[in-house]
Amino acid sequence: MKKYVILISGRGSNMRSLLEADLPGQCAAVISNRPDAAGLDYARSRGVATAVVDHRQFASREEFDAALAAEIESREADLVLLAGFMRVLTEGFVRRFEGRLLNIHPSLLPSFPGLTTHAKAISAGVRVHGCTVHFVTPALDAGPIVIQAAVPVLDEDSEETLGSRVLAQEHRVYVQAARWFLEGRLSIQGNRVLLAGARPEETALL
Ligand code: GAR
């Protein structure tokens, strides 16, 4: 059975939906860069192993990423799921896990990379917003896209109301993407991700 690790920095609601999803793989650990990440308590309560690699204990990004990579490799993970992991990763780290490193981003990429995506969507006046699961490459929020989900932007939306509408979709699509990966059905061709044996009801939501 394939193993995966989940990297978090805070609340961990995406981590929680992944752990509750009964994925076809084993969660080898939840790893946080913050000792006080609320999501760690939930992982422990489910009996999932946890680890903290505190970025404040390292003098440079390279040293932090080396320690993080060592922690992941000690768990023999086939798949690394970034779930609200709020550290920019070095090129060396990304290359080491290329093709088995997924991220969930709260916008319809390539629109609104980076932070404060819901505020950016509202001020840009877009009528459709959403979330994206993508393979991570060295360029920030720019790797091959696995799945996206869209939500409407309503006149009365605040960052909070729009963000919670998007978050509900994040929980759905991240589980789907992780399942496809663990089933061995994803392949990367250039900037595109192909889904082997896609059924119409699956691709309707891509
Ligand atoms: C999620 O909305 C996720 O998409 C976002 O942080 C939130 C974490 O929530 N990630 C990023 O912005 C990555 N740049 P969670 O801890 O409840 O899953």
Side-chain angles (χ1 to χ4, degrees), residues 49-71:
T50 61
V52 173
V53 184
D54 185 344
H55 63 278
R56 292 167 303 185
Q57 310 281 325
F58 298 88
S60 68
R61 253 180 219 288
E62 285 71 20
E63 287 169 62
F64 167 70
D65 280 9
L68 184 61
E71 181 62 49

Side-chain angles (χ1 to χ4, degrees), residues 10-15 83-86 103-106 114-115 167 170:
R11 177 178 58 181
S13 71
N14 276 288
M15 171 212 70
F85 186 71
M86 304 308 277
N103 181 46
I104 177 96
H105 180 78
L115 299 174
L167 191 64
E170 292 186 37

Side-chain angles (χ1 to χ4, degrees), residues 94-177:
V94 171
R95 294 273 181 232
R96 199 152 156 182
F97 295 101
E98 204 157 11
R100 53 194 178 110
L101 182 57
L102 289 175
N103 181 46
I104 177 96
H105 180 78
S107 78
L108 289 172
L109 291 171
S111 291
F112 316 129
L115 299 174
T116 63
T117 55
H118 309 311
K120 286 172 182 164
I122 290 169
S123 68
V126 296
R127 280 305 193 181
V128 178
H129 183 45
C131 56
T132 303
V133 179
H134 64 96
F135 281 98
V136 178
T137 56
L140 187 70
D141 298 331
I145 291 171
V146 178
I147 186 169
Q148 296 181 299
V151 303
V153 181
L154 305 179
D155 290 351
E156 60 274 22
D157 266 332
S158 63
E159 269 184 76
E160 289 70 33
T161 59
L162 181 56
S164 65
R165 194 175 306 121
V166 170
L167 191 64
Q169 294 303 311
E170 292 186 37
H171 296 161
R172 186 176 66 76
V173 294
Y174 212 2
V175 166
Q176 180 64 269

